[in-house]
């Protein structure tokens, strides 16, 4: 998506450790007009899928997922990072390793919000090694619901997450795919 690539080139900052900082428009300060364009594009890409719910993970996925959901006219559920897992049987739980924080979280969704009748679109800001998306798929499968697809704003194509998900037959649509980036020069190359 040209508009998004231009914005990443203009405002993205490449950090050491293969981190792209986009906190001026995506995951700290949020450009809601841009999110709306991303939502339009996801709707176009997944128009053939019977999506009735969007699933994301807190925190940075929530804002994007909410604007995207307005284009699908469906609710958003966000998986919560739990400090302690309450094993009362009312929650689906999984573990997700955070790429940016290098720690593992227990992540939960209430069973009442994810059922076998659900056809889910997963939305997240970044795809790196795929831990977050795989954790969300695990929750969806625990509920017997269907993964209709995965919509990602920025995929770092030089990390393995996207390749592994596509090899499993999961439909992954990323609005920008970064082929390479260099924290010394700041250069970002996109895959087309
Ligand atoms: P994964 O679970 O695919 O390894 O990493 C994806 C998650 O880590 C995303 O939810 C995102 O919050 C965070 N993340 C991964 N790479 C980056 C990055 O380069 N920049 C930022 N801002 N977040 C990232």
């Amino acid at each position: 998506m040209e508009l998004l690539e231009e914005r990443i080139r203009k405002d993205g900052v490449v950090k050491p450790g293969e981190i792209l900082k986009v906190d001026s428009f995506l995951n700290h300060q949020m450009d809601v007009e841009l999110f709306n364009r991303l939502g339009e594009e996801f709707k176009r890409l997944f128009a053939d899928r019977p999506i009735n719910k969007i699933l994301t993970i807190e925190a940075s996925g929530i804002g994007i997922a909410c604007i995207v959901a307005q284009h699908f006219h469906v609710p958003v559920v966000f998986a919560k990072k739990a400090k302690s897992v309450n094993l009362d049987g009312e929650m689906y739980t999984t573990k997700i390793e955070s790429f940016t924080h290098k720690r593992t979280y227990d992540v939960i969704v209430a069973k009442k919000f994810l059922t076998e009748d659900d056809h889910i679109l997963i939305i997240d800001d970044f795809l790196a090694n795929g831990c977050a998306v795989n954790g969300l798929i695990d929750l969806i499968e625990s509920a017997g619901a269907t993964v209709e697809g995965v919509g990602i704003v920025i995929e770092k194509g030089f990390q393995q997450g996207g390749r592994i998900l596509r090899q499993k037959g999961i439909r992954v649509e990323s609005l920008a795919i970064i082929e390479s980036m260099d924290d010394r020069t700041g250069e970002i190359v996109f895959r087309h």
Side-chain angles (χ1 to χ4, degrees):
M1 199 184 174
E2 192 60 39
L3 177 77
L4 177 62
E5 290 183 9
E6 272 171 24
R7 190 60 181 271
I8 294 169
R9 273 210 185 85
K10 181 166 153 279
D11 292 332
V13 181
V14 184
K15 295 283 182 187
E18 304 191 317
I19 298 279
L20 177 67
K21 222 165 174 237
V22 283
D23 60 357
S24 66
F25 64 95
L26 193 66
N27 49 24
H28 191 18
Q29 177 169 261
M30 299 185 283
D31 182 341
V32 179
E33 300 277 330
L34 174 68
F35 287 13
N36 201 37
R37 301 289 296 276
L38 307 181
E40 257 171 37
E41 185 62 5
F42 282 129
K43 176 64 190 169
R44 190 183 69 77
L45 292 166
F46 289 105
D48 59 328
R49 297 285 170 126
I51 291 157
N52 76 325
K53 201 169 276 183
I54 288 176
L55 180 66
T56 188
I57 179 164
E58 71 172 345
S60 48
I62 297 175
I64 301 159
C66 287
I67 305 294
V68 173
Q70 289 189 304
H71 292 266
F72 287 83
H73 304 287
V74 300
V76 175
V77 175
F78 64 95
K80 294 188 175 194
K81 291 172 181 162
K83 293 211 173 59
S84 59
V85 175
N86 174 358
L87 296 170
D88 59 8
E90 291 182 359
M91 304 280 179
Y92 295 114
T93 75
T94 191
K95 287 191 186 298
I96 292 181
E97 193 189 323
S98 163
F99 181 85
T100 36
H101 300 117
K102 305 291 176 218
R103 53 162 290 194
T104 301
Y105 294 92
D106 286 305
V107 172
I108 59 166
V109 169
K111 286 186 176 172
K112 62 184 171 187
F113 298 133
L114 211 50
T115 74
E116 61 187 14
D117 298 327
D118 284 327
H119 290 259
I120 309 282
L121 174 63
I122 294 173
I123 292 285
D124 206 4
D125 57 346
F126 273 91
L127 178 59
N129 290 322
C131 299
V133 169
N134 277 307
L136 295 176
I137 290 173
D138 193 34
L139 294 169
I140 293 169
E141 287 177 347
S142 301
T146 306
V147 181
E148 291 293 342
V150 178
I152 298 291
V153 180
I154 305 174
E155 175 176 342
K156 291 186 291 179
F158 52 89
Q159 291 170 321
Q160 61 182 355
R163 181 171 42 81
I164 293 171
L165 288 166
R166 291 183 183 99
Q167 274 169 359
K168 283 192 204 162
I170 292 165
R171 171 136 162 226
V172 181
E173 300 281 3
S174 300
L175 302 186
I177 303 184
I178 297 176
E179 188 68 57
S180 64
M181 57 188 203
D182 188 328
D183 64 86
R184 285 164 304 130
T185 61
E187 193 196 11
I188 299 171
V189 177
F190 292 97
R191 182 184 299 169
H192 292 117

